[in-house]
Amino acid sequence: MRLDKFLNATNLTKRRTIAQDMCANGVVLVNGVPAKSAKEIKVGDIITLQFLETTHRYKVLQIPTLKTIPKNMKSEYVCLLD
């Protein structure tokens, strides 16, 4: 699954266009490397989102098969590391 679709499907961003803009501006890292929105995400990848004052790291546990998942199922797909 593409990075921008993954961020949107797992509710890490509100919209896919926001995820694409974040990738274009270099604030999304996959395994410590800046990633484009078309990067394929695999189980075990570490996604880092750098916001203005905070940084969140997530570990990919599963790849969703649906376009969006319920917010209460987010913990089945990503795990917040710090």
Side-chain angles (χ1 to χ4, degrees), residues 9-11 66 68-77:
T10 56
N11 300 307
L66 303 173
T68 58
I69 60 168
K71 288 186 179 183
N72 61 351
M73 294 181 64
K74 180 178 175 180
S75 61
E76 294 180 19
Y77 295 92

Side-chain angles (χ1 to χ4, degrees), residues 26-44:
V27 297
V28 179
L29 308 174
V30 175
N31 298 324
V33 178
K36 294 185 179 181
S37 59
K39 168 105 172 112
E40 287 294 317
I41 298 299
K42 302 179 294 285
V43 173

